[in-house]
Amino acid sequence: MMSITLCAQDADRDRRYDTFFLEAICQRLSGNQDAAFDLLNHCVEIDSMKPEAYFYLAQYYSALRQRDRALEYSIRAARLAPDNSTYLETLAEAYIRNQQLPEAIEALESLYERNRSREDVLGMLVDLFDQQHDYTNAIRTLERLEAINGKSERLSYAKANYYAKNGEPEAAVAEMRQLADQFPADLNYRALYGNMMLINGQEQEALEVYQDILRQEPNNRNAQLALMAYYQDRGDEARIDSMALHVLTNKNVSSEDRVKLMRMIIAENEQQGGDSTRVLQYFRLALDQQPFDVDVASLCTAYMTLKEMPRDTIRTVFERIIEVQPDYAGARLQLVEYAWRDGDLQRIVDLCQAARQYNPDEMAFYYYQGIAYYQQGNLDEALGAFQNGIGVIDEDSDPEIVSDFYSIMGDLLHQKGQNAAAFAAYDSCLQIKPDHVGCLNNYAYYLSEMGQQLDRAEQMSYRTIKAEPKNATYLDTYAWILFMQKRYAEAKIYIDQTLQNDADSSAVMLEHAGDIYSRCGLTAEAVAYWQQALAKSSEGSEVKGERRRILIRKIKLKKYIKE
C-alpha cells in the first residue's frame, strides 16, 4: 500500500513539474522573462533533481551577471544529466566566464569524448591551453586535429609557434620541414619553412631556402616578401631596392602586399630625411603595372598630399583611379574639392552627375552639385539636385550636411517665390540643427520682409548676433527687424554696429540705415545714407527697378516711404 502511495506522489510531482516547466517555456518564448524566471524557480522547488529548470535558470543568472549562481546551476544541470552535451558545453562556457580554465578544460575534454566529431571543441581547448601557457597540451590537441584532417599550413604553423614558445626551436623548424616535404610541389610551404628557420636564428639556411625557391619560381611572392623583410631589418639598401623592384612588378603579389611594401618604404624614407624622389619612383613603377592598382594609387595620393605636391599632379592620379574604378567615391570627392578650389563650377557639376550614377546614395555629390548650380544661377537645376539629395537621407547621414541641405533649399525656394515651402525647409533645418545661424538669419529676414511673425523673427535674429556679434549681415537683419517692430532707437544702435563692421556696406544696408535714421528724426543723415545707397545702386548692385525708384523718391521727399 505504501509503495502505491509513493508512486502516486511521484506521478503527481512529475505532473506538476511538467505543467509549470512547460508554462515557463511558453512565457520565455513570449518574451515574459520575469514570469518565466519565477516559474522555473518554482519547478526547482517542486523537484530539485531534474536538470532542465537549472539549465534555463543558469542562463537568467548569467544575464543578471550573477556568475557564481549561474555556474552553480550549470554544474547541477550537467551532473543531473551527464550525457547531455548541451548542458556540458554550457558548463564549460560558464567556467570560462569565471576564468576557471582547468575546470573548463575538463568539461570540454568530457564533451569531446562524447562526440569526437566536434572539431570546434578541440579548437577551444587549444585556445585554453594557450591562455595557460600549456604549450605541450596545445601541441597535443593540434595533433588530434591533424589526425582528423591531415597536415595543413594552419595547423603546422600553429604547432611550430608553440614549439618555439615552449623553447623547442629545433622541433619548430622540423615541423615546418615536414610540411614542406609532404607537399614538395608547393614552394610556398618551403618559404614557410625558411621563415621558421629565420625566426629561430638559422639565417644562412633560411636564405639558401629562399634563393632555391626563386631559382625554381622567380616570381614566388612569399620568398620575395621574406627576403624584402630580411634586407629591411638589416638596412641593406642595395638589396632592398632590387627586391622592391621585383615585388612591385610581380603579378603574383597582392595589392595588400604592395601597399604594405610602399608603407614600409615611406616609413624608412621619412626616417632618413623624407626625400620624396625615391618614394615617387617606386610609386610610378607600381602604378605602371597592369592591372592598375587602385589601393596603391590611393596611398600615392595620400603621400603626395602629405608632401604638398601640386594639385595638378595629384589630380592626375585621382582621375586614373575613377577611370578604373568609377564608383570610388573618395577619389571623386577629392576631385570635386580641387574643382571647388579652382572655381570650376561646370567641372563640379559634371563630376557629381557621373557620381550620382555610381554612388546614388552618397549625399555629398547632390550637395556639391546643387551648390555649383546655385552659383551658376541655375536655380531649377540646383533645387532639383537638393531635392534628390534629400531623398537619400537616412539615420546615418551627417546632420551638418543635412541641415545645410534644408537651409539652401529654403533660400532657393524663397528666390522662386515659394515662401511656404521655403519656410517649411527652414523649419526642417532648424529641427536638425537649431543653431544654424545662416538659416536663422535668412528665415528671420524673409519673415520681416513679409511683416510676419516679427516676434519669432526677432528671437531668431538675436541668436545670430549673439553667435557672431561682428557679422554685419546678421546685425543688419536684426536692426531691420527692430525697425519693422517700430523699435527705432534700438534699431539705430544695431544699424550703426552694422556699418562699423562693414567697411564697404551694401546698398541694402545703407538704405536700411537711411530708413532707420529717418524714423529717428535724423533727416539729414538719412538723406546722406540714401544717397550713398543710390550711388551703390548705380554701380550695379542689387537695388534695381522699383526699389531704385523708391530710393530716389525718398531722397527727393526727404522722408521714409513704405514700399
Side-chain angles (χ1 to χ4, degrees):
M1 187 68 178
M2 179 67 71
S3 176
I4 295 173
T5 301
L6 290 175
C7 287
Q9 290 176 348
D10 289 344
D12 180 63
R13 184 178 64 244
D14 289 346
R15 180 186 58 77
R16 288 192 300 119
Y17 178 95
D18 289 344
T19 300
F20 280 102
F21 181 76
L22 289 173
E23 179 61 22
I25 297 303
C26 289
Q27 293 295 329
R28 176 185 171 91
L29 293 174
S30 300
N32 302 321
Q33 306 304 335
D34 289 342
F37 180 76
D38 291 339
L39 288 165
L40 288 168
N41 275 306
H42 190 55
C43 288
V44 170
E45 292 172 0
I46 294 171
D47 191 340
S48 62
M49 298 304 292
K50 293 194 174 182
E52 300 88 359
Y54 289 118
F55 172 72
Y56 285 106
L57 282 169
Q59 296 177 38
Y60 282 112
Y61 282 119
S62 178
L64 293 169
R65 298 189 179 182
Q66 296 185 30
R67 290 184 176 178
D68 290 342
R69 182 63 67 85
L71 178 59
E72 176 190 345
Y73 278 29
S74 292
I75 291 172
R76 289 188 184 184
R79 286 178 178 172
L80 289 168
D83 293 328
N84 189 306
S85 296
T86 301
Y87 295 171
L88 197 53
E89 186 170 359
T90 302
L91 174 60
E93 292 169 354
Y95 278 133
I96 291 171
R97 283 194 295 272
N98 280 32
Q99 287 298 299
Q100 294 178 237
L101 301 190
E103 292 84 353
I105 289 169
E106 182 180 352
L108 288 172
E109 290 284 10
S110 296
L111 180 61
Y112 184 70
E113 286 302 314
R114 287 168 173 75
N115 186 352
R116 289 179 174 269
S117 67
R118 294 287 303 272
E119 295 178 35
D120 60 314
V121 174
L122 293 178
M124 293 171 66
L125 282 167
V126 171
D127 289 339
L128 293 178
F129 287 130
D130 182 52
Q131 291 180 51
Q132 289 196 302
H133 306 294
D134 185 352
Y135 303 127
T136 299
N137 274 315
I139 293 167
R140 180 181 61 83
T141 307
L142 288 169
E143 287 172 344
R144 292 155 76 183
L145 280 167
E146 277 185 337
I148 299 170
N149 297 314
K151 269 197 172 299
S152 70
E153 175 184 338
R154 180 179 65 86
L155 294 177
S156 291
Y157 210 73
K159 283 174 65 181
N161 281 325
Y162 284 131
Y163 278 127
K165 289 180 179 180
N166 213 30
E168 302 176 72
E170 293 178 357
V173 172
E175 178 65 34
M176 297 310 297
R177 181 169 185 171
Q178 287 177 27
L179 179 67
D181 289 346
Q182 185 169 341
F183 303 99
D186 192 334
L187 295 179
N188 289 321
Y189 290 140
R190 295 286 296 170
L192 292 174
Y193 169 46
N195 293 346
M196 190 55 64
M197 284 196 291
L198 197 61
I199 291 170
N200 287 286
Q202 298 174 244
E203 292 186 10
Q204 190 56 46
E205 294 88 339
L207 293 177
E208 290 174 2
V209 168
Y210 297 143
Q211 296 296 346
D212 181 59
I213 292 171
L214 292 175
R215 276 192 292 272
Q216 298 179 62
E217 192 178 294
N219 284 330
N220 184 276
R221 163 196 178 272
N222 288 346
Q224 285 186 350
L225 292 175
L227 282 172
M228 183 73 200
Y230 175 79
Y231 296 140
Q232 184 74 24
D233 287 343
R234 283 145 188 80
D236 191 334
E237 295 296 331
R239 286 193 170 93
I240 290 173
D241 284 344
S242 173
M243 192 53 61
L245 294 175
H246 285 299
V247 172
L248 292 174
T249 57
N250 186 350
K251 295 187 183 300
N252 296 327
V253 169
S254 68
S255 177
E256 182 181 357
D257 292 331
R258 290 193 185 93
V259 168
K260 184 177 179 180
L261 173 58
M262 287 308 307
R263 289 187 186 281
M264 185 173 66
I265 289 171
I266 290 169
E268 176 200 12
N269 184 263
E270 290 299 306
Q271 290 176 358
Q272 295 177 356
D275 180 5
S276 61
T277 305
R278 175 169 171 258
V279 176
L280 291 173
Q281 287 176 344
Y282 283 127
F283 270 123
R284 278 192 288 271
L285 176 66
L287 296 179
D288 283 342
Q289 306 307 307
Q290 294 298 328
F292 182 77
D293 195 321
V294 169
D295 293 333
V296 173
S298 297
L299 179 61
C300 180
T301 60
Y303 178 74
M304 289 193 293
T305 301
L306 176 68
K307 290 300 181 179
E308 299 180 347
M309 297 188 66
R311 283 208 306 272
D312 286 345
T313 303
I314 308 174
R315 182 187 288 113
T316 301
V317 182
F318 277 124
E319 287 173 344
R320 290 186 68 188
I321 290 174
I322 64 170
E323 182 181 342
V324 173
Q325 191 173 325
D327 62 344
Y328 198 124
R332 199 177 294 270
L333 278 172
Q334 191 62 58
L335 287 171
V336 169
E337 182 183 335
Y338 287 166
W340 186 267
R341 292 187 199 176
D342 295 337
D344 190 344
L345 298 177
Q346 190 56 49
R347 174 67 171 154
I348 294 171
V349 168
D350 294 341
L351 282 166
C352 292
Q353 188 62 40
R356 287 171 56 178
Q357 299 176 35
Y358 297 106
N359 307 100
D361 296 328
E362 180 55 66
M363 195 168 53
F365 292 119
Y366 299 91
Y367 177 78
Y368 285 113
Q369 188 180 41
I371 292 289
Y373 274 135
Y374 193 5
Q375 294 195 2
Q376 286 179 329
N378 297 326
L379 300 189
D380 290 335
E381 291 85 350
L383 185 58
F386 281 111
Q387 288 173 331
N388 288 330
I390 292 297
V392 303
I393 291 173
D394 58 30
E395 60 184 12
D396 297 323
S397 298
D398 184 345
E400 292 286 337
I401 296 180
V402 175
S403 62
D404 280 348
F405 258 75
Y406 282 113
S407 178
I408 298 171
M409 277 182 61
D411 296 343
L412 288 165
L413 289 164
H414 174 76
Q415 290 184 47
K416 292 176 67 65
Q418 301 177 32
N419 290 323
F423 294 162
Y426 288 144
D427 285 331
S428 295
C429 169
L430 296 176
Q431 186 175 3
I432 297 164
K433 194 174 190 295
D435 59 347
H436 194 297
V437 289
C439 178
L440 287 167
N441 176 77
N442 292 352
Y443 198 177
Y445 186 70
Y446 296 146
L447 284 172
S448 72
E449 279 193 323
M450 299 173 66
Q452 296 179 1
Q453 302 182 54
L454 292 178
D455 288 343
R456 184 186 180 199
E458 188 270 335
Q459 292 170 8
M460 289 193 292
S461 182
Y462 184 72
R463 291 174 64 187
T464 69
I465 63 170
K466 291 297 289 183
E468 298 184 27
K470 293 186 180 297
N471 187 307
T473 299
Y474 299 165
L475 288 165
D476 174 65
T477 297
Y478 190 62
W480 186 247
I481 294 170
L482 294 173
F483 175 85
M484 293 295 292
Q485 291 178 314
K486 300 183 179 180
R487 296 160 61 180
Y488 303 126
E490 294 174 78
K492 180 180 178 300
I493 293 171
Y494 286 99
I495 200 65
D496 287 343
Q497 291 183 34
T498 300
L499 301 178
Q500 290 169 9
N501 285 285
D502 193 337
D504 186 24
S505 301
S506 70
V508 172
M509 289 178 180
L510 291 166
E511 185 177 3
H512 285 169
D515 294 347
I516 293 168
Y517 268 71
S518 177
R519 286 302 194 190
C520 289
L522 301 169
T523 304
E525 292 89 340
V527 171
Y529 281 128
W530 288 330
Q531 288 173 335
Q532 292 179 51
L534 185 61
K536 285 276 186 179
S537 72
S538 65
E539 297 170 5
S541 77
E542 67 273 25
V543 181
K544 298 176 182 178
E546 181 62 25
R547 289 193 63 189
R548 179 176 168 79
R549 287 190 288 273
I550 291 172
L551 186 57
I552 292 171
R553 289 187 66 200
K554 290 177 182 178
I555 296 169
K556 183 177 180 180
L557 297 174
K558 297 183 179 181
K559 68 176 183 179
Y560 169 71
I561 299 172
K562 186 176 182 179
E563 298 179 25

